[in-house]
Amino acid sequence: MKNIFLFCDAGMSTSLLVSKMRNVAEAHNVEVQIQALPFAKSFEIIENGQADCILLGPQVKFLLKDIEGKCKEKNIPLDVINSAHYGTMNGEKVLKQAIKMIRENQNK
């Protein structure tokens, strides 16, 4: 089971996207746990090694540099969700992005 975390300002705006991602994962029998949390929780999640992938909401992409180093230390792939995919709440494309990041990280 892979753990995917989405961080945004308060963790609320990504909740709908997480729901859509979960629906896609369930429909395709992809075993993942997906959570939306406020960015303030990101350091705790990274330090505990709980994440297999971290995605930032476009509204907090300016915080990417703040956690980039910690993610590299823990070998956790990190990226910003595509604004168009976020805006349209395209759970399938965001889930594919996360799975691709996890696979590429495993193949390093």
Side-chain angles (χ1 to χ4, degrees), residues 5-100:
F5 287 89
L6 279 63
F7 293 108
C8 68
D9 195 29
M12 292 172 37
S13 62
T14 55
S15 294
L16 178 59
L17 182 58
V18 165
S19 177
K20 291 183 179 248
M21 291 171 70
R22 286 178 180 157
N23 289 341
V24 172
E26 188 176 313
H28 295 284
N29 295 316
V30 177
E31 292 189 21
V32 291
Q33 287 189 341
I34 309 166
Q35 294 184 55
L37 296 170
F39 184 80
K41 293 267 188 189
S42 64
F43 292 101
E44 178 184 336
I45 298 297
I46 293 166
E47 279 303 314
N48 291 336
Q50 296 172 317
D52 293 295
C53 174
I54 293 177
L55 292 167
L56 299 181
Q59 70 276 32
V60 294
K61 70 180 176 184
F62 66 93
L63 296 170
L64 183 69
K65 295 285 184 206
D66 292 355
I67 64 170
E68 204 168 38
K70 288 286 183 195
C71 284
K72 281 186 180 179
E73 284 176 23
K74 296 287 187 174
N75 195 32
I76 300 169
L78 167 70
D79 204 357
V80 176
I81 299 168
N82 177 292
S83 294
H85 299 160
Y86 189 88
T88 58
M89 292 286 138
N90 191 324
E92 181 176 0
K93 290 198 176 183
V94 178
L95 181 61
K96 284 181 179 180
Q97 176 186 5
I99 291 170
K100 181 180 178 190

